Amino acid sequence: MTTPPVIAADPLAACPPLMRWLLERIAPEDDALTLLDPRQPIEALYANWIANGQLSAALRLIAGVLPTRESVWWAWVSARYASQLAGAAAPSAAVHAALSAIEQWIVRPDDDARRAAWDAGNAAGLDTPVGMVAAAVFLSGTTVAPPTVPPVPPPPGAALPLISGAILLSAAANSKPEQIAPTMSAFAAQGLEIVKRLGGWGAALQLAYDTHQRLAQDYARATAPPSAPAAR
């Protein structure tokens, strides 16, 4: 007789809907989920992750609630830090150009600046922190198609893993391994200040969810197949 497979319990089953949406959005490590208490608010979960060294999960939690422009600024600061680390190779002209192009988009987030950031990020390398931030900028727009063809919107949330990835990669760029965790903690503290300016975790999460729902509706409309002509 074949033994039926064991189905693991859903660790998010008892979470309130918004918290469950956020945790599914950021996909924390299993070790981090063992510290999850669904009865506690998000700020308690964040503090618990910080206290227990689950720093990558804490960084992704922040990235999951920040609006696009704020998250790009946060990641841009981290990438700039990585480019200026003592003992690291001097940043190339392409990295400098990409940092500048992203900064221009932060100051003036129009389509020309978005495409310029993408071009500069490609030149710097999309596997670098600054290249990942540039890709996040590009995916924050209303289309990933050339400007001469009909819009093709990016999937909602496509920029999120690039933001958190750029920040984690920026911290890992430190040549002294013992400095990586303190750097991640410093990045987290900086991101937390942005969350506070947005009105706290609850307000930031609600804004992130509402924005995602609106973008998802726009994406569904833009990518829906054309209706079949009515039969005569």
Side-chain angles (χ1 to χ4, degrees):
M1 183 175 180
T2 303
T3 303
V6 176
I7 300 175
D10 180 359
L12 307 182
C15 290
L18 277 182
M19 180 181 282
R20 182 184 183 109
W21 172 82
L22 175 60
L23 292 174
E24 289 176 342
R25 175 174 164 85
I26 67 167
E29 301 91 341
D30 289 343
D31 288 349
L33 285 179
T34 63
L35 301 172
L36 172 64
D37 182 348
R39 299 167 298 179
Q40 293 183 328
I42 299 173
E43 52 265 36
L45 174 62
Y46 170 80
N48 201 13
W49 279 349
I50 289 290
N52 286 276
Q54 298 291 341
L55 300 175
S56 61
L59 287 165
R60 287 200 292 271
L61 193 70
I62 295 172
V65 301
L66 292 187
T68 301
R69 195 173 177 189
E70 285 82 353
S71 67
V72 166
W73 177 83
W74 182 39
W76 172 78
V77 171
S78 302
R80 185 180 61 178
Y81 165 84
S83 74
Q84 298 170 345
L85 279 172
S92 65
V95 168
H96 278 301
L99 286 167
S100 178
I102 295 166
E103 184 178 18
Q104 290 301 311
W105 179 87
I106 294 169
V107 173
R108 189 192 69 254
D110 60 24
D111 197 62
D112 288 342
R114 181 178 70 94
R115 294 181 185 277
W118 168 249
D119 291 341
N122 267 287
L126 295 179
D127 57 346
T128 64
V130 68
M132 294 173 75
V133 182
V137 168
F138 184 68
L139 291 173
S140 71
T142 57
T143 180
V144 293
T148 55
V149 303
V152 178
L160 174 59
L162 291 165
I163 292 293
S164 54
I167 292 170
L168 292 169
L169 193 59
S170 295
N174 205 305
S175 60
K176 297 179 179 179
E178 68 274 12
Q179 290 300 316
I180 293 176
T183 301
M184 292 171 69
S185 295
F187 289 166
Q190 188 177 54
L192 183 59
E193 288 304 311
I194 306 174
V195 173
K196 291 177 179 178
R197 289 201 294 270
L198 292 170
W201 282 102
L205 174 55
Q206 188 65 59
L207 176 61
Y209 177 78
D210 292 343
T211 301
H212 186 275
Q213 293 301 104
R214 175 179 56 80
L215 292 175
Q217 292 171 2
D218 293 345
Y219 180 76
R221 282 193 295 267
T223 57
S227 301
R232 297 195 175 188

